[in-house]
Amino acid sequence: MDTNLLHGDLCPLCRRPLTLRPIAIVRSAGVPHPTRTAYRPDCRYCATDMFRSQQWADLMRARHES
């Protein structure tokens, strides 16, 4: 599995395009906009599907541990 998944890449389980989901938004004092936002690839079909959600979670965990 590719460890550098990007927006528009295909999901390894269902082959649908991935989207990017924000996971951390960092704000600095006195700045009206976020200074940094971290994103994680997300498949809205597999992550919310009751039968595939555990497979999706295992794939993402293996990706981050490698």
Side-chain angles (χ1 to χ4, degrees), residues 12-34:
L13 293 176
C14 68
R15 308 307 293 168
R16 292 183 175 137
L18 294 173
T19 57
L20 292 177
R21 182 179 59 147
I23 58 169
I25 299 173
V26 178
R27 298 185 185 275
S28 294
V31 179
H33 54 81

Side-chain angles (χ1 to χ4, degrees), residues 22-49:
I23 58 169
I25 299 173
V26 178
R27 298 185 185 275
S28 294
V31 179
H33 54 81
T35 55
R36 187 181 73 222
T37 305
Y39 292 95
R40 175 181 296 156
D42 185 52
C43 177
R44 63 182 182 175
Y45 302 102
C46 292
T48 58
D49 182 8

Side-chain angles (χ1 to χ4, degrees), residues 45-55:
Y45 302 102
C46 292
T48 58
D49 182 8
M50 186 169 102
F51 300 107
R52 287 191 169 172
S53 61
Q54 186 60 48
Q55 285 179 306

